[in-house]
Amino acid sequence: MTSAFANIRKRFWGKKRLFPLWGALTGVLVTGGITQLVTGYCVRIDEREYAGRLLRQAEEVATQLSVVLRSVSTHAFTPCSEDDINLMREQNWAYNLVQDIGRVSQGKVICTASWGVLKQPASLPDDGYYSAQNNVTFYRQASGLLPVNNRLDVVVKGDTVVFTSPSALKELYLFRPDVDARLTTKNGKYTFQTFKGNTQENSGVNLLLPDDVFYQRICSTRFDICLEMNNTHTGVMSLPVLALLLIFLAGGSVGYLAGFSVYARINRLNSMDMRLKKAIFNRELFLEYQPQFRLSDQRIVGAEILVRWHDVVFGNVSPEFFIRLAERLGVYRNITRFVIEQALHDMSLILASHPDFSLSINVGKHDISDYNFIGFLNEVVDKYAVNRRQIKMEITEKTDVNYKLIAESARELQRQGYCVSLDDFGTGVANIHWLTEIPFDEIKLDKYFVRGLQDTFKIKMLDALLSIIIPLNKIIVFEGIEKAEEKNIIQQMYSAAIGQGWFYSRSLSARALAVLLMEKNVDGVRYLHKKPPE
């Protein structure tokens, strides 16, 4: 055996011409091992930070639920009395992660802040989990507790029930595809949420090194909550094949430095931050238009501009997500300018041919605080010879800019000839205060007021709101109309209103909107002798 091994060693190591081959193989093994350690370490750091963010989000949900339960439970009102329901409504509006608050009697939900006293009390499910640490009972995805057919997470303490908002754990839905996770109690007997990634898929090629499985479990110090994460793609095998070849071919210490640079470069280029910046620079975003219909005659009287982004790596990215990302990256103003330029290029012919048609453009907090914004807007509007009264600048109530600055910007926009619209009215914290302090021409009621209009309480609430708004003699727009019943009720309450939503039409391209105008509006025949915009 020893003699045979010596002969093999002499045969291979005795030939100097084979030294480069062994050196290359050694370099590949060393570079692969070092890169495996470094990439695994980096991914672990990133996963720990990511897990911490997710746990903090879950703790924020638990904090709001605890505050609401404590505030509503310590009261002196008769359950479901008018004072009690007003108290629950006050708390419901104060916390964005709470969907609804109600009272429980003998295992049944008897009233809530949004629905008032229920005609038929709804029984709580039998599969609840009691947490001794927090003295509450959890029900996951409970259905049939409210008049709407939704599944909601529910927390019960004493005679108080709190419905968690469906968007409470919104960030958790943006999980990476290579991660499996569970949000559980500390004893692991109850799972609040499960997030399943594509951990069985491997984009790498298993040449020499196995995948490194990384598991971690972190728990809250304040609540009975733990987050478990499992990632089987933490090492060098998670890299693309090309990156692996580059790393292995580099060899040795030089291979390590070059390979790791390629690894960092690939991940940076494929990050959403970089791809969004590239998409904005290359004008790869595109616009769609949500038609607005006058309820009295069903004619199209305007459209709201919606910006969209389809990426070859991430697919269709939610506007709400990439707009927030653009604000964080400091490129939001570039999106606004692109939207204005592209929209007026698309719609100038429609605006000129339809003097009663208006275009609604969303204005963000960065635009409000930008003293050059109105000058830029005037320049583009004048370039395309658009009537300024046909341009509506929508200021959302959700913006966190001081209302005095908003009021100043609104007055300047009106002075320059534009219409000002208060968007998402009823969803923020300003509400009636905005009606008195900020000049406006139009008010857009959030889809919250439209959903569930079959309920008597909702109708009364909307009727009370309209009694305040209608005397102001402003244009009123209802967002989110999806059913004929909703349209009919709104039309009966205020026939002069304008509606938009999927009941009428989904968002359209400029060309499709031009075709729809020809079908819906009598004067749309003007387009028969003109080419619709691209």
Side-chain angles (χ1 to χ4, degrees):
M1 180 70 68
T2 303
S3 178
F5 179 79
N7 290 334
I8 294 175
R9 184 176 60 181
K10 181 179 180 180
R11 180 178 179 182
F12 284 95
W13 287 100
K15 297 181 182 292
K16 294 182 178 180
R17 61 185 179 87
L18 294 179
F19 279 4
L21 175 63
W22 287 108
L25 179 59
T26 302
V28 167
L29 293 175
V30 171
T31 303
I34 294 175
T35 306
Q36 174 79 356
L37 294 175
V38 174
T39 54
Y41 175 74
C42 292
V43 169
R44 280 174 169 80
I45 294 176
D46 184 61
E47 292 294 341
R48 290 191 181 98
E49 189 275 334
Y50 188 58
R53 276 194 297 122
L54 299 179
L55 184 61
R56 287 193 295 272
Q57 174 71 8
E59 286 182 326
E60 175 61 22
V61 176
T63 298
Q64 291 199 16
L65 292 177
S66 298
V67 173
V68 170
L69 285 170
R70 183 169 58 253
S71 301
V72 178
S73 297
T74 56
H75 66 93
F77 304 127
T78 302
C80 296
S81 64
E82 182 178 353
D83 291 333
D84 186 44
I85 291 178
N86 287 337
L87 171 64
M88 292 190 292
R89 288 173 183 166
E90 179 181 337
Q91 293 297 315
N92 192 25
W93 279 91
Y95 297 96
N96 63 309
L97 301 181
V98 174
Q99 176 80 3
D100 204 351
I101 306 171
R103 295 297 183 193
V104 175
S105 176
Q106 298 180 355
K108 294 184 178 182
V109 180
I110 57 176
C111 66
T112 73
S114 296
W115 297 93
V117 178
L118 300 180
K119 296 180 179 179
Q120 294 182 348
S123 299
L124 293 170
D126 298 327
D127 56 351
Y129 174 79
Y130 176 73
S131 171
Q133 177 177 339
N134 302 119
N135 193 25
V136 296
T137 302
F138 300 103
Y139 298 91
R140 180 182 176 186
Q141 294 293 293
S143 62
L145 299 183
L146 295 177
V148 291
N149 187 23
N150 287 341
R151 289 183 172 272
L152 299 171
D153 292 337
V154 177
V155 180
V156 176
K157 182 176 182 180
D159 67 343
T160 304
V161 58
V162 179
F163 299 83
T164 306
S165 171
S167 61
L169 299 178
K170 191 168 187 179
E171 185 177 357
L172 299 180
Y173 290 99
L174 303 179
F175 246 78
R176 301 172 189 172
D178 57 350
V179 174
D180 285 342
R182 291 195 312 147
L183 194 64
T184 69
T185 54
K186 291 182 178 179
N187 59 14
K189 293 182 178 180
Y190 183 77
T191 300
F192 298 102
Q193 196 84 28
T194 301
F195 305 93
K196 193 70 175 175
N198 301 322
T199 54
Q200 301 303 319
E201 299 179 6
N202 193 339
S203 59
V205 177
N206 194 4
L207 300 176
L208 298 172
L209 301 173
D211 278 349
D212 184 18
V213 178
F214 176 60
Y215 169 84
Q216 65 172 323
R217 183 175 189 265
I218 56 176
C219 296
S220 170
T221 57
R222 297 182 296 151
F223 301 101
D224 188 11
I225 300 175
C226 286
L227 180 70
E228 298 179 356
M229 293 180 60
N230 184 40
N231 189 349
T232 60
H233 297 73
T234 61
V236 71
M237 287 301 108
S238 62
L239 299 177
V241 176
L242 179 59
L244 285 175
L245 292 177
L246 290 174
I247 291 172
F248 289 147
L249 290 176
S253 59
V254 175
Y256 164 71
L257 295 174
F260 193 75
S261 298
V262 171
Y263 165 74
R265 181 65 175 170
I266 289 175
N267 281 275
R268 177 165 175 78
L269 290 177
N270 283 328
S271 69
M272 186 168 287
D273 294 16
M274 289 295 295
R275 298 196 70 83
L276 178 59
K277 288 183 177 180
K278 180 181 177 182
I280 295 173
F281 179 79
N282 294 333
R283 300 178 70 86
E284 294 173 356
L285 304 179
F286 64 96
L287 303 183
E288 291 182 347
Y289 302 87
Q290 182 76 52
Q292 298 174 336
F293 290 73
R294 188 164 54 213
L295 271 62
S296 59
D297 56 10
Q298 305 301 302
R299 288 170 59 86
I300 301 176
V301 294
E304 179 181 357
I305 304 171
L306 304 175
V307 61
R308 299 287 189 254
W309 178 32
H310 178 81
D311 183 73
V312 296
V313 174
F314 298 101
N316 292 320
V317 184
S318 165
E320 183 177 354
F321 179 78
F322 75 75
I323 288 296
R324 288 203 313 269
L325 179 61
E327 290 178 340
R328 181 174 63 82
L329 297 175
V331 294
Y332 177 83
R333 289 187 178 94
N334 302 75
I335 293 181
T336 303
R337 280 157 172 71
F338 163 77
V339 169
I340 293 174
E341 289 178 338
Q342 187 64 45
L344 293 182
H345 172 269
D346 291 345
M347 305 296 291
S348 58
L349 180 59
I350 290 178
L351 291 169
S353 301
H354 295 73
D356 295 333
F357 186 89
S358 62
L359 200 59
S360 299
I361 304 174
N362 287 286
V363 181
K365 62 181 180 181
H366 299 284
D367 303 317
I368 294 174
S369 58
D370 184 359
Y371 292 101
N372 298 320
F373 173 72
I374 294 181
F376 167 81
L377 177 64
N378 290 339
E379 181 181 343
V380 179
V381 170
D382 294 342
K383 173 184 176 181
Y384 289 98
V386 173
N387 184 351
R388 295 185 182 182
R389 293 301 298 173
Q390 292 179 268
I391 302 299
K392 295 180 180 178
M393 308 305 294
E394 294 190 358
I395 302 175
T396 178
E397 191 182 336
K398 297 177 182 177
T399 184
D400 55 1
V401 179
N402 185 277
Y403 79 92
K404 293 183 179 180
L405 182 58
I406 296 175
E408 179 182 344
S409 299
R411 279 191 290 270
E412 180 61 22
L413 285 168
Q414 287 183 330
R415 192 181 70 82
Q416 294 289 338
Y418 301 99
C419 291
V420 175
S421 176
L422 299 185
D423 192 17
D424 299 319
F425 185 80
T427 58
V429 297
N431 293 326
I432 304 301
H433 182 63
W434 275 44
L435 299 181
T436 59
E437 299 294 336
I438 299 176
F440 65 96
D441 304 281
E442 175 186 276
I443 185 167
K444 298 187 73 175
L445 298 183
D446 188 74
K447 56 187 177 182
Y448 167 79
F449 296 101
V450 175
R451 291 177 178 173
L453 271 182
Q454 296 82 356
D455 181 71
T456 304
F457 173 75
K458 276 265 186 169
I459 295 177
K460 290 181 178 179
M461 183 171 62
L462 180 58
D463 185 59
L465 183 60
L466 290 177
S467 67
I468 298 175
I469 298 176
I470 292 176
L472 299 177
N473 197 27
K474 306 295 184 180
I475 300 173
I476 301 178
V477 180
F478 287 84
E479 297 181 291
I481 299 177
E482 299 182 358
K483 300 178 181 179
E485 294 84 355
E486 296 170 349
K487 188 268 294 184
N488 293 334
I489 293 173
I490 294 172
Q491 190 170 2
Q492 291 174 4
M493 299 179 72
Y494 187 59
S495 61
I498 295 173
Q500 71 177 66
W502 287 3
F503 170 76
Y504 291 106
S505 171
R506 293 176 180 266
S507 55
L508 306 170
S509 65
R511 177 176 290 274
L513 179 59
V515 173
L516 186 64
L517 273 168
M518 286 191 290
E519 296 175 351
K520 294 289 185 180
N521 291 9
V522 176
D523 55 355
V525 295
R526 299 175 185 176
Y527 278 108
L528 295 177
H529 304 291
K530 296 183 179 181
K531 181 181 178 182
E534 296 293 336

